[in-house]
């Protein structure tokens, strides 16, 4: 078939675009979306560049040197798991080192195996989080000479190796295996925030030849990490090769190689547990059927979205842990056989079920009750829960007629349908690619399309002095399924922290005041942003998430750990280099008129430069005229013009201040300043007194 000329295709596409634009005329309004909020961390705050493979054994004590920037004058360490993290003081005559800080970690013996996090607070701010890998395998550091098969590093079994790849090179490790021994080799990279895309290959140590089929690359469920389990028929020595798939390497390409007799699994099973209930959670994946289940008690607290459970057989070590998610709806596990509608597993609405395509041609059926006019949302999660399965969903009525089908190109698989009458329906799920086996796991949920909301944050770390405060940026307040009302945002967590603000209907971005109680000691504090609203007469509570921030902090991981998505941190600092305060003048701003904000700055000696003021959040129909606070001065003004269309009532404005301190940028973001907008006062026309006519004089 002849190819069409490129100019003809372009012209056709242009024509379609014009038609599409014109089709909106007179019937639809194109709404502009607000610009994304971009609020970077304060430049004076510390940053950790510590390798992601830093770790220790449960029940151990170790001193680690953490690397980064702005680490001088540390005040505390925030650790996410049980245990102590203590700053190790430098020698009295040592100069402050802004690039490193020494911390002593002490962990109890029962601390869960897996990835935990830590942050460092200083007198200027708090750092990004870095992973702390807790293992029950003995730790080994990589040798610098293991770049060839001939110089492979001898390592014991079991072990956990902290290593790094170089460009255009592989790492080799030599292990002794016994006849009949079943070993698992697992590389942790993407799951702990490294950019390395690993491949693992086994070689015979004598011949230096690759063992056929004993390699792993992009193991299902491991987010491009790899794992290999093999039972060796004969005793001998094996070489383990680890490299990047495209031979990349460098200072950031760290990984953790685990070798031992531990089980591998790709997901927990069931994948979710209802809040306030108890469940026995097993595992899914190759060889996971004989792993004993773990007892899980789901808390009622909506803040706890998931916990991690680690697979372990009676003998051997823990496998890497997997998340179990908590939901508000009843949860079940599919009951086989359910390959036909008459044998469908009954599923509550709302409700969820964990299922898998184990056999060839497996089609799972679930029976639900539908109510006339109640829209239902059916979703099958796979990639989101680290399963490689791809699901097609179909909804059948009582007569077997199809009333809904998911879009095969969309992820997750999802459909909406509204029953025309009360009755029974069947949801049929099948593998899009006709695959089957222990990896093909999915979670199916059925929920009414009820009004709801969701909140996401821009940044996860802040700084403020005791008795002062700052502003927490909210990227999006999303109102779902028709909910259009206000949402109240508040600071939850440590008792020393507080702050609340109401986000009115229609507003999608906001800044929450974060206030610090006077007398609070300098150091690191954790908190969350709590969102509450009255939806259909019921109080609904959600917690703001940090998906983009966590992804960025973990090297762009596709599916970040759910237990990390709500955690924010604050450094209570001793005394900032400068502060700014805004006061309304007049106290209330009339619509259609101008006013100003009086700026009052306090400076330390080293903060004597111009103070630049940058609005971060401005209410609709309010226009600020911002000028810097001149060098050496402490007072300035911000002109405020309130348009006639501005909303009446208190409304926040957030202005960030920047200056040079010791030749470096230093930023302060005060809490929101509240502008009180009122109706323009009516001006009564002046009464004009009639002129008094003077008596005419008689002419003589």
């Amino acid at each position: 078939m002849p190819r069409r000329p490129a100019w003809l295709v372009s012209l056709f596409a242009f024509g379609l675009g014009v038609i599409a634009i014109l089709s909106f005329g007179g019937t639809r309004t194109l709404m502009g979306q607000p610009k994304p909020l971009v609020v970077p961390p304060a430049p004076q705050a510390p940053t950790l560049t510590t390798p992601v493979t830093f770790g220790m054994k449960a029940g151990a004590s170790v001193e680690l040197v953490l690397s980064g920037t702005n680490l001088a004058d540390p005040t505390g360490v925030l650790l996410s798991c049980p245990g102590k993290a203590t700053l190790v003081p430098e020698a009295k005559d040592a100069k402050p080192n802004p690039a490193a800080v020494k911390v002593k970690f002490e962990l109890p013996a029962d601390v869960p195996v897996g990835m935990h996090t830590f942050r460092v607070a200083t007198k200027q701010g708090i750092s990004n989080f870095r992973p702390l890998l807790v293992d029950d395998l003995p730790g080994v550091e990589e040798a610098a000479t293991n770049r060839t098969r001939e110089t492979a590093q001898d390592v014991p079994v079991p072990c956990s190796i902290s290593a790094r790849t170089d460009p255009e090179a592989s790492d080799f490790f030599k292990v002794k295996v016994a006849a009949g021994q079943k070993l698992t080799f697992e590389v942790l990279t993407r799951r702990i925030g490294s950019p390395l895309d690993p491949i693992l290959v086994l070689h015979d140590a004598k011949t230096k030849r690759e063992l056929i089929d004993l390699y792993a690359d992009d193991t299902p469920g491991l987010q491009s990490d790899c794992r290999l389990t093999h039972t060796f028929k004969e005793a001998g020595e094996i070489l383990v090769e680890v490299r990047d798939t495209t031979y990349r390497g460098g200072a950031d390409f760290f990984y953790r190689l685990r070798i031992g007799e531990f089980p591998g699994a790709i997901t927990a099973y069931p994948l979710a547990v209802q809040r306030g209930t108890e469940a026995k959670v097993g595992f899914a994946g190759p060889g996971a059927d004989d792993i004993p289940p773990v007892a899980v008690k789901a808390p009622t607290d909506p803040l706890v979205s998931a916990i991690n459970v680690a697979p372990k057989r009676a003998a051997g070590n823990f496998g890497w842990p997997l998340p179990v998610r908590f939901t508000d709806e009843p949860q079940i596990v599919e009951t086989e056989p359910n390959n036909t509608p008459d044998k469908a597993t009954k599923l509550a609405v709302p409700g969820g079920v964990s299922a898998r395509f184990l056999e060839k041609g497996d089609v799972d059926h679930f029976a639900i009750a539908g109510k006339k006019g109640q829209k239902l949302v059916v979703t099958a999660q796979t990639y989101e829960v680290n399963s490689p399965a791809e699901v097609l969903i179909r909804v059948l009525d009582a007569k077997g007629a199809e009333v809904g089908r998911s879009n095969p190109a969309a992820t997750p698989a999802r459909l909406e349908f509204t029953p025309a009458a009360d009755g029974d329906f069947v949801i049929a799920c099948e593998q899009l690619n006709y695959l089957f086996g222990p990896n093909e796991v999915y979670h199916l949920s059925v929920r009414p399309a009820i009004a709801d909301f969701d909140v996401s944050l821009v940044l996860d770390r802040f700084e403020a002095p005791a008795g002062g405060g700052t502003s927490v940026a909210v990227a999006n307040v999303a109102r779902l399924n028709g909910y259009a009302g206000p949402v109240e945002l508040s600071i939850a967590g440590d008792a020393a922290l507080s702050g609340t603000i109401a986000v009115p209907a229609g507003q999608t971005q906001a800044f929450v005041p974060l206030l610090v109680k006077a007398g609070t000691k300098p150091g690191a504090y954790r908190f969350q942003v709590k969102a509450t609203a009255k939806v259909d007469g019921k109080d609904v509570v959600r917690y703001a998430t940090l998906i983009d921030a966590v992804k960025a902090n973990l090297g762009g991981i596709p599916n970040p750990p759910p237990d990390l998505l709500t955690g924010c941190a604050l450094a209570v600092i001793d005394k900032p280099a400068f502060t700014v305060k805004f006061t309304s003048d007049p106290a209330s701003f009339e619509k259609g008129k101008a006013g100003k904000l009086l700026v009052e700055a306090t400076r330390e000696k080293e903060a004597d430069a111009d103070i630049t003021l940058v609005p971060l959040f401005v209410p609709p129909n309010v226009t600020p005229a911002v000028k810097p606070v001149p060098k050496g001065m402490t007072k300035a003004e911000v002109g405020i013009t309130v348009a006639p269309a501005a909303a009446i009532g208190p409304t926040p404005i957030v202005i960030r201040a920047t200056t040079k301190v010791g030749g470096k940028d230093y930023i302060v973001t005060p809490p929101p300043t509240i502008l009180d907008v009122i109706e323009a006062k009516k001006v009564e026309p002046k009464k004009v007194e009639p002129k008094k006519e003077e008596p005419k004089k008689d002419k003589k």
Side-chain angles (χ1 to χ4, degrees):
M1 184 175 180
R3 296 182 63 183
R4 295 179 177 86
W7 65 266
L8 182 59
V9 176
S10 300
L11 181 61
F12 179 69
F14 174 77
L16 286 180
V18 172
I19 293 171
I21 293 172
L22 293 177
S23 67
F24 283 100
T27 59
R28 298 182 182 182
T29 302
L30 293 175
M31 301 297 292
Q33 295 295 321
K35 292 181 180 180
L37 280 175
V38 179
V39 184
Q44 71 270 17
T47 298
L48 288 175
T49 57
T50 301
V52 296
T53 51
F54 259 28
M56 58 188 296
K57 198 172 181 181
S61 173
V62 64
E63 288 188 2
L64 298 176
V65 177
L66 310 180
S67 58
T69 59
N70 294 340
L71 292 172
D73 301 319
T75 58
V77 180
L78 196 61
L79 186 61
S80 69
C81 63
K84 289 175 60 180
T86 310
L87 293 166
V88 179
E90 297 290 341
K92 291 183 178 180
D93 56 346
K95 294 182 179 180
N97 186 357
V101 62
K102 185 180 290 187
V103 177
K104 182 179 182 181
F105 292 93
E106 301 171 87
L107 302 183
D110 60 350
V111 65
V113 168
M115 186 178 77
H116 305 281
T117 65
F118 61 89
R119 301 175 188 259
V120 174
T122 70
K123 291 183 178 180
Q124 306 297 338
I126 194 163
S127 74
N128 55 313
F129 73 77
R130 295 304 283 164
L132 177 68
L133 306 184
V134 176
D135 215 325
D136 65 337
L137 301 174
V140 174
E141 292 296 322
E142 180 189 25
T145 56
N146 66 342
R147 299 299 186 262
T148 67
R149 294 173 178 82
E150 290 72 21
T151 60
Q153 178 181 355
D154 288 296
V155 295
V157 176
C159 69
S160 178
I161 307 164
S162 176
R164 177 181 64 81
T165 62
D166 289 331
E168 304 298 329
S170 295
D171 298 335
F172 292 91
F173 305 92
K174 184 187 295 184
V175 298
K176 292 182 179 180
V177 299
Q181 187 176 24
K182 185 178 182 179
L183 287 181
T184 296
F185 306 83
E186 180 169 15
V187 183
L188 299 170
T189 58
R190 295 303 302 277
R191 286 173 290 166
I192 58 175
S194 171
L196 178 67
D197 184 6
I199 186 170
L200 186 149
V201 185
L202 299 189
H203 305 258
D204 184 284
K206 288 184 179 179
T207 64
K208 305 297 188 295
R209 292 180 179 177
E210 181 180 330
L211 297 173
I212 298 176
D213 294 333
L214 292 187
Y215 70 93
D217 179 21
D218 292 344
T219 303
L222 304 190
Q223 303 201 58
S224 81
D225 287 355
C226 53
R227 180 195 292 147
L228 171 65
T229 300
H230 181 68
T231 301
F232 294 91
K233 293 181 179 180
E234 300 176 354
E237 291 186 325
I238 300 297
L239 299 182
V240 183
E241 178 187 5
V242 179
R243 63 172 174 84
D244 183 81
T245 54
T246 56
Y247 287 95
R248 297 177 302 160
D252 296 330
F253 285 76
F254 288 90
Y255 64 92
R256 195 85 170 185
L257 172 62
R258 304 180 80 238
I259 304 174
E261 297 180 9
F262 55 84
I266 65 166
T267 70
Y269 195 80
L271 291 152
V273 176
Q274 184 181 10
R275 298 184 192 279
T277 67
E278 298 182 11
K280 292 286 188 178
V281 175
F283 301 89
D289 289 342
D290 63 344
I291 304 173
V294 178
V296 171
K297 185 175 182 179
T300 58
D301 186 355
L303 176 60
V304 184
S305 61
I307 63 166
N308 292 311
V309 293
K312 187 178 187 298
R313 296 189 178 94
N317 297 96
F318 281 105
W320 202 246
L322 300 161
V324 179
R325 290 158 174 81
F326 300 139
T327 74
D328 295 326
E329 298 86 21
Q331 298 292 315
I332 63 170
V333 175
E334 73 161 322
T335 303
E336 292 280 7
N338 64 348
N339 282 20
T340 56
D342 60 304
K343 295 181 179 179
T345 303
K346 291 186 177 180
L347 179 60
V349 178
V353 56
S354 297
R356 50 186 165 184
F357 305 113
L358 271 178
E359 306 294 335
K360 184 177 182 180
D362 192 1
V363 179
D364 298 330
H365 293 81
F366 305 96
I368 63 169
K371 295 181 180 180
K372 180 181 178 180
Q374 183 186 53
K375 181 189 288 187
L376 297 178
V377 180
V378 185
T379 306
Q381 289 188 316
T382 56
Y383 297 149
E384 300 77 14
V385 294
N386 294 325
S387 166
E390 295 187 43
V391 181
L392 175 69
I393 308 171
R394 296 183 299 121
V395 177
L396 313 175
D397 64 15
K399 296 181 180 180
E402 185 177 297
V403 296
R405 175 186 287 253
S406 63
N407 179 2
T411 55
R414 182 180 186 275
L415 68 84
E416 297 180 357
F417 81 102
T418 304
D422 290 354
D424 296 329
F425 295 84
V426 171
I427 300 171
C429 296
E430 54 189 297
Q431 227 288 1
L432 265 173
N433 298 318
Y434 307 104
L435 300 178
F436 60 95
N439 291 339
E440 303 302 318
V441 185
Y442 64 97
H443 181 266
L444 182 77
S445 65
V446 183
R447 299 183 177 97
I450 59 176
D452 203 349
F453 61 94
D454 187 39
V455 179
S456 59
L457 302 179
V458 178
L459 188 63
D460 63 344
R461 54 189 178 118
F462 307 87
E463 59 285 322
T470 185
S471 295
V472 177
V474 175
N476 188 32
V477 179
R479 294 164 179 80
L480 310 173
N481 297 325
Y483 176 68
V487 176
E488 182 180 88
L489 304 176
S490 59
I491 302 298
D494 196 283
L497 311 181
S498 63
T500 184
I501 197 167
V503 182
Q507 185 174 310
T508 59
Q509 297 176 344
F511 279 78
V512 187
L514 172 54
L515 309 177
V516 184
K517 185 178 180 181
T520 302
K521 293 182 179 180
Y525 296 79
R526 57 171 52 94
F527 72 93
Q528 301 83 30
V529 173
K530 182 179 179 180
T532 58
K534 187 78 73 174
V535 181
D536 294 334
K538 297 180 180 180
D539 290 326
V540 178
V541 177
R542 300 284 182 260
Y543 284 87
T545 57
L546 290 147
I547 295 177
D548 290 340
V550 174
K551 282 185 176 182
N553 212 1
L554 288 176
I557 183 173
N559 299 315
D563 56 307
L564 298 183
L565 297 183
T566 59
C568 298
L570 173 80
V572 175
I573 59 179
D574 192 11
K575 189 177 182 181
F578 78 103
T579 61
V580 290
K581 181 181 178 182
F582 300 95
T583 305
S584 297
D585 183 23
S588 298
F589 293 90
E590 294 183 46
K591 293 171 64 171
K593 295 187 178 181
K596 57 189 174 183
L597 293 177
L598 302 179
V599 185
E600 184 177 353
T602 60
R603 304 172 179 261
E604 296 298 308
K605 290 182 179 179
E606 64 272 24
D608 195 43
D610 287 352
I611 298 176
T612 303
L613 303 177
V614 178
L616 294 182
F617 181 77
V618 179
N621 300 304
V622 173
T623 304
V626 180
K627 295 181 180 180
V629 182
K631 178 179 179 179
M633 304 295 289
T634 59
K635 296 185 183 299
E637 295 180 356
V638 175
I640 298 291
T641 301
V642 180
I648 296 175
T651 183
I653 184 171
V654 178
I655 300 177
R656 172 174 265 196
T658 305
T659 193
K660 294 285 186 182
V661 177
K664 297 181 179 180
D665 286 337
Y666 193 107
I667 285 179
V668 168
T669 305
T673 301
I674 304 301
L675 307 180
D676 183 30
V677 178
I678 62 175
E679 288 284 6
K681 295 177 181 178
K682 293 183 179 180
V683 179
E684 295 292 337
K686 292 183 179 181
K687 293 183 179 180
V688 180
E689 295 291 337
K691 293 183 179 181
K692 293 182 179 181
E693 293 185 3
E694 295 183 3
K696 295 181 179 180
K697 295 182 180 180
D698 294 336
K699 293 183 180 179
K700 293 183 180 180

